[in-house]
């Protein structure tokens, strides 16, 4: 007997997608974190290099400080279950040991495909980052442009006084896109840049007018929530960098990702697990969305007025989730699919050997999500 059909809930059948900004850490966390990404329909991942130690060289030999090579970290990801993905990109963590020669040989080997700029001490494990000027002057950015290597930018000005840090006109991201990015793109017009986890109207505006070599990743948290959501009840699982911003910023992000002609904005969750999120006197930055990101993105698109049951709505969603990112990174869109069904799914933490990791959804006070992965 065929199984009885019990549901007529709307279904979204989408190409498997690429999470082009995620954190998988190291050690015993790798396996459960990779599994959570595989379970949410990912064809490929970009695994950020702010691990401990960081991924600051391309090949295993030589370095001035303790770090992994792209080759070593990629192998660790493979051994921990990452082999099932079509593609794993590990960007090089730009630091004082990065040289134009490292970029040239890395690019020729095919191992180096992207680099990550971290504002010095600007976020989790960012202490090896150097200011932008360092790489402008030492020829590293020129080498990236020459070899077609993508620069992933954490676009926040570092070292601001607390009173400037969050104000809507002078916050760390707005300042970065007003003052740091214009000279950078002017000096290196051929350099392909991803503005990571954009959170402000200023960054969205900059990316939009910058032309074909600029794209941006957008997280579920910045599309769904504002600083008010974080502040009301001090919901620290919503604390990430860049900080959640204001309603006008969220509206600008939503308008960008839901534009029918969007080719620049794509999914990059910045899923950043912290098994120990709070200490007695502080809180680690990062929201965990492993296992639930497509569901959260779908929620945000619906909140923004997109009808995901219509072909037009589905096309807009698929551009953002499945097509724009691979196009920018020159990857094929997956020929395999995964399915989102409009049915409630309970939210639960991810159990890991280092403790339970609470998701963004639970941290925001949700008990269920309106979509689940079939
Ligand atoms: C990230 C992390 O925890 O690795 N945290 C975050 O708030 N996004 C680092 C980063 O990408 O900023
Ligand atoms: Zn990140």
């Amino acid at each position: 007997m065929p199984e009885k059909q019990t549901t007529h809930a709307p279904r979204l059948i989408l190409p498997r997608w690429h999470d082009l900004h995620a954190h998988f850490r190291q050690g015993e966390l790798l396996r459960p974190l990779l599994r959570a990404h595989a379970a949410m329909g990912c064809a490929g991942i970009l695994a950020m290099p702010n691990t401990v130690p960081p991924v600051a060289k391309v090949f295993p030999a030589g370095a001035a400080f303790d770090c992994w090579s792209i080759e070593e970290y990629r192998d660790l990801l493979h051994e921990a279950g990452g082999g099932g993905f079509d593609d794993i990109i590990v960007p090089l963590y730009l630091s004082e040991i990065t040289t134009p020669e490292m970029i040239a040989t890395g690019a020729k080997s095919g191992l180096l495909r992207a680099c990550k700029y971290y504002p010095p001490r600007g976020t989790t494990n960012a202490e090896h980052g150097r200011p932008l000027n360092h790489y402008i002057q030492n020829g590293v950015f020129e080498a990236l442009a020459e070899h077609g290597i993508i620069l992933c930018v954490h676009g926040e000005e570092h070292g601001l006084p607390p009173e400037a840090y969050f104000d809507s006109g002078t916050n760390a991201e707005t300042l970065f896109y007003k003052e740091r990015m214009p000279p950078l793109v002017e000096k290196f017009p051929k350099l392909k840049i991803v503005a990571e986890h954009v959170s402000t109207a200023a960054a969205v505006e900059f990316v939009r007018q910058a032309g074909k070599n600029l794209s941006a990743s957008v997280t579920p948290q910045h599309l769904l929530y504002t600083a008010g959501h974080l502040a009301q009840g001090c919901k620290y699982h919503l604390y990430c960098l860049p900080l959640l911003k204001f309603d006008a910023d969220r509206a600008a992000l939503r308008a960008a990702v839901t534009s029918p002609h969007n080719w620049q904005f794509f999914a990059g969750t910045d899923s950043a697990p912290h098994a120990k999120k709070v200490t007695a006197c502080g809180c680690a930055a990062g929201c965990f969305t492993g296992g639930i990101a497509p569901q959260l993105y779908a929620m945000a698109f619906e909140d923004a007025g997109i009808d995901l049951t219509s072909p037009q709505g589905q096309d807009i969603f698929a551009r953002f989730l499945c097509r724009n990112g691979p196009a920018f990174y020159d990857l094929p869109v997956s020929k395999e699919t995964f399915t989102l069904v409009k049915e409630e799914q309970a939210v639960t933490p991810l159990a890991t050997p280092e403790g339970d990791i609470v998701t963004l959804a639970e941290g925001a006070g949700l008990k269920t999500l309106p979509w689940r992965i079939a």
Side-chain angles (χ1 to χ4, degrees):
M1 277 242 304
E3 249 181 63
K4 212 165 96 192
Q5 199 73 28
T6 51
T7 173
H8 299 289
R11 279 171 181 262
L12 254 171
I13 300 172
L14 297 158
R16 292 172 82 80
W17 63 292
H18 289 69
D19 185 353
L20 289 164
H21 184 143
H23 299 269
F24 297 96
R25 311 302 190 203
Q26 58 281 315
E28 296 200 302
L29 284 177
L30 286 173
R31 196 167 283 279
L33 293 175
L34 287 163
R35 203 184 300 129
H37 260 69
M40 61 176 177
C42 283
I45 52 172
L46 182 146
M48 281 297 176
N50 62 333
T51 44
V52 181
V55 185
K57 52 191 178 177
V58 182
F59 301 107
F65 60 83
D66 182 27
C67 57
W68 273 317
S69 66
I70 290 178
E71 197 176 6
E72 288 165 315
Y73 187 56
R74 186 208 52 190
D75 290 350
L76 286 177
L77 290 164
H78 271 263
E79 283 158 24
F85 294 111
D86 296 345
D87 215 330
I88 296 181
I89 299 174
V90 178
L92 181 73
Y93 186 133
L94 293 177
S95 73
E96 66 185 16
I97 64 167
T98 321
T99 59
E101 295 72 41
M102 193 191 276
I103 302 299
T105 48
K108 281 181 195 133
S109 75
L111 266 177
L112 179 68
R113 297 152 74 187
C115 289
K116 178 72 187 279
Y117 164 75
Y118 284 106
R121 285 172 290 281
T123 186
T124 313
N125 301 332
E127 55 275 14
H128 295 290
R130 290 289 167 269
L132 279 183
N133 271 341
H134 177 84
Y135 314 110
I136 293 174
Q137 282 158 13
N138 74 359
V140 163
F141 285 166
E142 205 175 300
L144 295 184
E146 189 186 327
H147 295 282
I149 302 297
I150 290 178
L151 175 63
C152 304
V153 173
H154 181 125
E156 289 195 291
E157 184 63 9
H158 60 276
L160 288 178
E163 51 275 22
Y165 184 66
F166 188 49
D167 183 277
S168 63
T170 64
N171 69 69
E173 184 176 286
T174 294
L175 213 61
F176 190 91
Y177 284 90
K178 280 193 176 146
E179 293 181 1
R180 302 284 169 196
M181 280 297 253
L184 183 69
V185 298
E186 203 169 296
K187 198 164 166 50
F188 303 103
K190 294 210 178 87
L191 180 57
K192 285 184 85 170
I193 298 176
V194 178
E196 299 291 346
H197 43 51
V198 285
S199 68
T200 55
V204 166
E205 189 43 40
F206 182 84
V207 171
R208 271 202 167 135
Q209 55 75 43
K212 70 171 178 33
N213 284 333
L214 227 99
S215 270
S217 63
V218 188
T219 73
Q221 59 267 25
H222 293 108
L223 286 174
L224 283 167
Y225 302 118
T226 64
H229 293 87
L230 166 69
Q232 235 172 18
C234 197
K235 296 195 187 65
Y236 58 80
H237 290 289
L238 274 58
Y239 174 61
C240 64
L241 291 170
L243 289 169
L244 298 175
K245 298 295 189 312
F246 305 102
D247 195 40
D249 297 299
R250 184 178 64 170
L253 291 172
R254 288 181 170 187
V257 300
T258 59
S259 152
H261 307 296
N262 167 33
W263 60 268
Q264 272 182 307
F265 296 85
F266 58 74
T269 61
D270 199 12
S271 181
H274 289 274
K276 291 183 191 63
K277 180 90 171 141
V278 277
T279 64
C281 54
C283 181
C287 301
F288 178 58
T289 47
I292 57 168
Q295 299 92 308
L296 293 171
Y297 281 130
M299 259 172 78
F301 273 62
E302 288 185 312
D303 283 356
I306 299 297
D307 175 5
L308 291 179
T309 64
S310 74
Q312 298 86 336
Q314 292 180 4
D315 181 66
I316 288 171
F317 190 56
R319 269 174 186 268
F320 170 78
L321 190 72
C322 317
R323 299 209 297 265
N324 292 351
F328 196 74
Y329 275 87
D330 243 335
L331 303 169
V333 173
S334 177
K335 293 201 169 42
E336 290 172 29
T337 59
F338 78 104
T339 306
L340 277 170
V341 189
K342 189 83 188 254
E343 281 175 353
E344 282 197 346
Q345 174 196 346
V347 293
T348 49
L350 181 77
T352 78
E354 295 191 10
D356 282 2
I357 297 173
V358 174
T359 64
L360 174 73
E362 243 184 319
L366 298 176
K367 300 268 181 288
T368 59
L369 295 172
W371 293 88
R372 69 173 178 84
I373 299 199

